[in-house]
Amino acid sequence: MATDGLKFMASALHDPSSHAYKKAHRLYLKATKHRNPDLELDWSPFRAAEKKYKARFPPPDLSDILDLATVDPSREEELRQGGWRGSSTAVEYTEILGEGRPTKVYTVPRIPGLVILPSFVSHEKQRELVQWSLCDHARHPNETNLDIHYLLPQEGIWNTWLSSRDDPSKDEIVRPRATEPSPPIEKPGPRQLVNNTPATPVNFSKISATPKPPQSPSTTVKPVPCSELVSKLRWANIGWYYHWGTKQYDFTKGKGFIDPRPRNLCRDAVAAVNWEMVYADADSDWGDGEPEPDAGIVNFYQTKDTLMAHVDRSEVCATSPLVSISLGNAAVFLIGGNTRDSEPVPILLRSGDVVIMSGPNCRRAYHGVPRILEGTLPPHLESRDPKWKPYEAYMRSTRININVRQVFPKGFEPEIVIQ
Ligand SMILES: O=C(O)CCC(=O)C(=O)O
Ligand SMILES: [Fe+2]
């Protein structure tokens, strides 16, 4: 988890006379020596945008990315320190009046139903949610990417690692789940993206009855100390269990507990929006009343990770708002249309920002995260007291995204047999 110098390196990369820039240039020339220039011709507009922001060298120009933090003078220190900066004029947006408290609420006319609430989560709440994600959520009985392949300690990988931090001899060895050798399967890592049938109230029973065999654990992973697994955490499930093999919810497993912290924050964010104004140009009313989050995921991105273009279509309710909370390092978020062929809108998401994807267009829009911007941990997530030190060290190279959804439309009574 050594990430010292990450902050320095990130800013040096923007300076062509620096050693870091020259080194990155040399590596880039070496890596691209045999690249076929015609390859790019086949890229869809979404793929081309992903490639552009993913590029390590030269560092991508963010001047065409909407960065709403640039219109908030109270975030200047955060922007200056992180080195990366988008623009407030890159993409057309509209400010709409927030409900009640002095919340800034923006919509983007090119993506009807998309709502952005920059800096919605207070600094203190951000720290609380980072702690919740690591200590309370990424552990039994919530499923994580690591559970598929390892027999994790009940108290979770983070808490186990914390308690051995001052005495490396106590670093617990985590054993692989597989006992029998069998053909190798995919390594623990980012989410696998598979195309699935969009869920609807009509095909719900069929989707629900599709067999959902457990994923086979890898037989190539070795016993590993807890300290090494911490940075391999990629996701932890919220609420209804998700089956990655079929990309459908597995309702037979019942519904996991929805913690009031993300649940209330999600409801507060939706309540802070004047929906009449969001729907102003829409043909129909997308409103479904107060959302009842019952599923979701906490994503843990390390700075080299990306999330490819996808549509979240496993929820039976295709319109109720999906609430997405960003914590830690900033990211480039792309959102386009219902195929990869429309040019996506690039948006810079920073710690504390909330994005709401609502309505039929936006909920079925392709979106993804091609880049985590290294060195952008905001000052309020840096060390304040000794207890925060391990969180700071982890967060230096991490972005956490809490993504909360509502699976069923109001009034839909699913027939679910819990096993
Ligand atoms: O990390 C993000 O901002 C988006 C995550 C996402 O799209 C998802 O979990 O489906
Ligand atoms: Fe998504």
mmCIF file of all heavy atoms in Angstrom, residues 191 297 299 301 307 310 312 324 333 349 367 369 399 401 403 405, ligand 1:
data_model
loop_
_atom_site.group_PDB
_atom_site.id
_atom_site.type_symbol
_atom_site.label_atom_id
_atom_site.label_comp_id
_atom_site.label_asym_id
_atom_site.label_seq_id
_atom_site.Cartn_x
_atom_site.Cartn_y
_atom_site.Cartn_z
ATOM 1 N N ARG A 191 -14.822 -5.993 -12.225
ATOM 2 C CA ARG A 191 -16.047 -6.667 -12.606
ATOM 3 C C ARG A 191 -15.984 -7.115 -14.053
ATOM 4 O O ARG A 191 -15.448 -6.444 -14.900
ATOM 5 C CB ARG A 191 -17.208 -5.691 -12.438
ATOM 6 C CG ARG A 191 -17.386 -5.284 -11.040
ATOM 7 C CD ARG A 191 -18.100 -3.965 -10.933
ATOM 8 N NE ARG A 191 -19.194 -3.846 -11.886
ATOM 9 C CZ ARG A 191 -19.983 -2.789 -11.927
ATOM 10 N NH1 ARG A 191 -19.792 -1.784 -11.112
ATOM 11 N NH2 ARG A 191 -20.953 -2.722 -12.794
ATOM 12 N N ILE A 297 -24.026 -1.444 -5.188
ATOM 13 C CA ILE A 297 -22.654 -1.943 -5.116
ATOM 14 C C ILE A 297 -21.760 -0.833 -4.577
ATOM 15 O O ILE A 297 -22.013 0.348 -4.828
ATOM 16 C CB ILE A 297 -22.197 -2.404 -6.530
ATOM 17 C CG1 ILE A 297 -20.842 -3.098 -6.475
ATOM 18 C CG2 ILE A 297 -22.147 -1.245 -7.521
ATOM 19 C CD1 ILE A 297 -20.495 -3.844 -7.751
ATOM 20 N N ASN A 299 -18.060 0.230 -5.237
ATOM 21 C CA ASN A 299 -16.906 -0.033 -6.105
ATOM 22 C C ASN A 299 -15.656 0.553 -5.463
ATOM 23 O O ASN A 299 -15.677 1.696 -5.006
ATOM 24 C CB ASN A 299 -17.091 0.651 -7.462
ATOM 25 C CG ASN A 299 -18.231 0.065 -8.270
ATOM 26 O OD1 ASN A 299 -18.207 -1.117 -8.584
ATOM 27 N ND2 ASN A 299 -19.221 0.881 -8.617
ATOM 28 N N TYR A 301 -12.005 1.466 -6.631
ATOM 29 C CA TYR A 301 -11.108 1.574 -7.780
ATOM 30 C C TYR A 301 -9.710 1.921 -7.292
ATOM 31 O O TYR A 301 -9.560 2.849 -6.500
ATOM 32 C CB TYR A 301 -11.510 2.723 -8.697
ATOM 33 C CG TYR A 301 -12.866 2.667 -9.347
ATOM 34 C CD1 TYR A 301 -14.000 3.124 -8.693
ATOM 35 C CD2 TYR A 301 -12.998 2.219 -10.655
ATOM 36 C CE1 TYR A 301 -15.238 3.128 -9.319
ATOM 37 C CE2 TYR A 301 -14.243 2.226 -11.293
ATOM 38 C CZ TYR A 301 -15.356 2.678 -10.616
ATOM 39 O OH TYR A 301 -16.576 2.691 -11.237
ATOM 40 N N LEU A 307 -13.679 1.284 -15.503
ATOM 41 C CA LEU A 307 -14.941 0.552 -15.630
ATOM 42 C C LEU A 307 -15.439 0.827 -17.043
ATOM 43 O O LEU A 307 -15.711 1.975 -17.412
ATOM 44 C CB LEU A 307 -15.949 1.031 -14.580
ATOM 45 C CG LEU A 307 -17.330 0.398 -14.625
ATOM 46 C CD1 LEU A 307 -17.262 -1.114 -14.414
ATOM 47 C CD2 LEU A 307 -18.243 1.009 -13.565
ATOM 48 N N HIS A 310 -21.054 0.454 -20.028
ATOM 49 C CA HIS A 310 -22.088 -0.550 -19.743
ATOM 50 C C HIS A 310 -23.410 0.152 -19.461
ATOM 51 O O HIS A 310 -23.442 1.373 -19.254
ATOM 52 C CB HIS A 310 -21.689 -1.404 -18.533
ATOM 53 C CG HIS A 310 -21.653 -0.613 -17.259
ATOM 54 N ND1 HIS A 310 -20.608 0.220 -16.932
ATOM 55 C CD2 HIS A 310 -22.561 -0.486 -16.259
ATOM 56 C CE1 HIS A 310 -20.864 0.817 -15.788
ATOM 57 N NE2 HIS A 310 -22.051 0.407 -15.346
ATOM 58 N N ASP A 312 -26.754 -0.342 -16.806
ATOM 59 C CA ASP A 312 -27.260 -1.095 -15.658
ATOM 60 C C ASP A 312 -28.718 -1.419 -15.943
ATOM 61 O O ASP A 312 -29.598 -0.590 -15.723
ATOM 62 C CB ASP A 312 -27.109 -0.265 -14.375
ATOM 63 C CG ASP A 312 -25.641 -0.024 -14.068
ATOM 64 O OD1 ASP A 312 -24.906 -1.004 -13.941
ATOM 65 O OD2 ASP A 312 -25.223 1.148 -13.999
ATOM 66 N N SER A 324 -25.397 7.770 -7.194
ATOM 67 C CA SER A 324 -23.997 7.357 -7.245
ATOM 68 C C SER A 324 -23.131 8.395 -6.510
ATOM 69 O O SER A 324 -23.149 9.574 -6.849
ATOM 70 C CB SER A 324 -23.645 7.244 -8.729
ATOM 71 O OG SER A 324 -22.283 7.159 -8.931
ATOM 72 N N PHE A 333 -15.919 10.501 -15.733
ATOM 73 C CA PHE A 333 -17.138 9.714 -15.925
ATOM 74 C C PHE A 333 -17.679 10.050 -17.308
ATOM 75 O O PHE A 333 -17.801 11.226 -17.655
ATOM 76 C CB PHE A 333 -18.137 10.106 -14.822
ATOM 77 C CG PHE A 333 -19.493 9.449 -14.910
ATOM 78 C CD1 PHE A 333 -19.641 8.102 -14.604
ATOM 79 C CD2 PHE A 333 -20.625 10.181 -15.266
ATOM 80 C CE1 PHE A 333 -20.893 7.493 -14.651
ATOM 81 C CE2 PHE A 333 -21.880 9.573 -15.325
ATOM 82 C CZ PHE A 333 -22.010 8.222 -15.011
ATOM 83 N N LEU A 349 -15.803 13.815 -11.838
ATOM 84 C CA LEU A 349 -16.474 13.612 -10.551
ATOM 85 C C LEU A 349 -15.437 13.623 -9.439
ATOM 86 O O LEU A 349 -14.434 12.912 -9.509
ATOM 87 C CB LEU A 349 -17.229 12.283 -10.542
ATOM 88 C CG LEU A 349 -18.391 12.178 -11.529
ATOM 89 C CD1 LEU A 349 -19.062 10.813 -11.405
ATOM 90 C CD2 LEU A 349 -19.406 13.295 -11.289
ATOM 91 N N HIS A 367 -22.571 4.148 -19.856
ATOM 92 C CA HIS A 367 -21.705 5.001 -19.047
ATOM 93 C C HIS A 367 -20.505 4.182 -18.581
ATOM 94 O O HIS A 367 -20.543 2.945 -18.617
ATOM 95 C CB HIS A 367 -22.483 5.594 -17.863
ATOM 96 C CG HIS A 367 -23.047 4.558 -16.939
ATOM 97 N ND1 HIS A 367 -24.217 3.875 -17.223
ATOM 98 C CD2 HIS A 367 -22.599 4.063 -15.761
ATOM 99 C CE1 HIS A 367 -24.467 3.027 -16.248
ATOM 100 N NE2 HIS A 367 -23.496 3.106 -15.343
ATOM 101 N N VAL A 369 -16.219 4.551 -16.511
ATOM 102 C CA VAL A 369 -15.192 5.353 -15.817
ATOM 103 C C VAL A 369 -13.828 4.976 -16.410
ATOM 104 O O VAL A 369 -13.210 4.003 -15.997
ATOM 105 C CB VAL A 369 -15.218 5.070 -14.289
ATOM 106 C CG1 VAL A 369 -14.170 5.894 -13.556
ATOM 107 C CG2 VAL A 369 -16.607 5.336 -13.711
ATOM 108 N N ARG A 399 -10.407 5.329 -5.359
ATOM 109 C CA ARG A 399 -11.687 6.038 -5.446
ATOM 110 C C ARG A 399 -12.762 5.040 -5.053
ATOM 111 O O ARG A 399 -12.756 3.896 -5.514
ATOM 112 C CB ARG A 399 -11.951 6.524 -6.871
ATOM 113 C CG ARG A 399 -13.386 7.034 -7.048
ATOM 114 C CD ARG A 399 -13.621 7.551 -8.457
ATOM 115 N NE ARG A 399 -14.954 8.086 -8.595
ATOM 116 C CZ ARG A 399 -15.978 7.458 -9.196
ATOM 117 N NH1 ARG A 399 -15.805 6.258 -9.725
ATOM 118 N NH2 ARG A 399 -17.157 8.024 -9.280
ATOM 119 N N ASN A 401 -16.856 4.335 -4.991
ATOM 120 C CA ASN A 401 -18.137 4.777 -5.545
ATOM 121 C C ASN A 401 -19.245 3.933 -4.914
ATOM 122 O O ASN A 401 -19.214 2.709 -4.971
ATOM 123 C CB ASN A 401 -18.133 4.591 -7.069
ATOM 124 C CG ASN A 401 -19.518 4.809 -7.661
ATOM 125 O OD1 ASN A 401 -20.233 3.866 -7.982
ATOM 126 N ND2 ASN A 401 -19.906 6.056 -7.778
ATOM 127 N N ASN A 403 -23.016 3.016 -5.172
ATOM 128 C CA ASN A 403 -23.984 3.064 -6.255
ATOM 129 C C ASN A 403 -25.259 2.370 -5.798
ATOM 130 O O ASN A 403 -25.274 1.167 -5.625
ATOM 131 C CB ASN A 403 -23.340 2.301 -7.423
ATOM 132 C CG ASN A 403 -23.783 2.805 -8.755
ATOM 133 O OD1 ASN A 403 -24.876 2.484 -9.184
ATOM 134 N ND2 ASN A 403 -22.940 3.600 -9.403
ATOM 135 N N ARG A 405 -29.442 1.559 -5.931
ATOM 136 C CA ARG A 405 -30.547 1.422 -6.893
ATOM 137 C C ARG A 405 -31.823 0.911 -6.240
ATOM 138 O O ARG A 405 -31.780 0.382 -5.138
ATOM 139 C CB ARG A 405 -30.166 0.397 -7.979
ATOM 140 C CG ARG A 405 -28.907 0.763 -8.696
ATOM 141 C CD ARG A 405 -28.027 -0.441 -8.879
ATOM 142 N NE ARG A 405 -26.694 -0.004 -9.296
ATOM 143 C CZ ARG A 405 -25.932 -0.672 -10.133
ATOM 144 N NH1 ARG A 405 -26.352 -1.800 -10.639
ATOM 145 N NH2 ARG A 405 -24.748 -0.224 -10.453
HETATM 146 O O1 LIG B 1 -17.988 4.597 -10.446
HETATM 147 C C1 LIG B 1 -18.901 5.215 -10.977
HETATM 148 O O2 LIG B 1 -18.994 6.445 -10.946
HETATM 149 C C2 LIG B 1 -19.961 4.452 -11.757
HETATM 150 C C3 LIG B 1 -20.132 3.040 -11.331
HETATM 151 C C4 LIG B 1 -21.156 2.324 -12.134
HETATM 152 O O3 LIG B 1 -21.526 2.754 -13.188
HETATM 153 C C5 LIG B 1 -21.725 1.055 -11.658
HETATM 154 O O4 LIG B 1 -21.358 0.580 -10.580
HETATM 155 O O5 LIG B 1 -22.583 0.485 -12.358
#
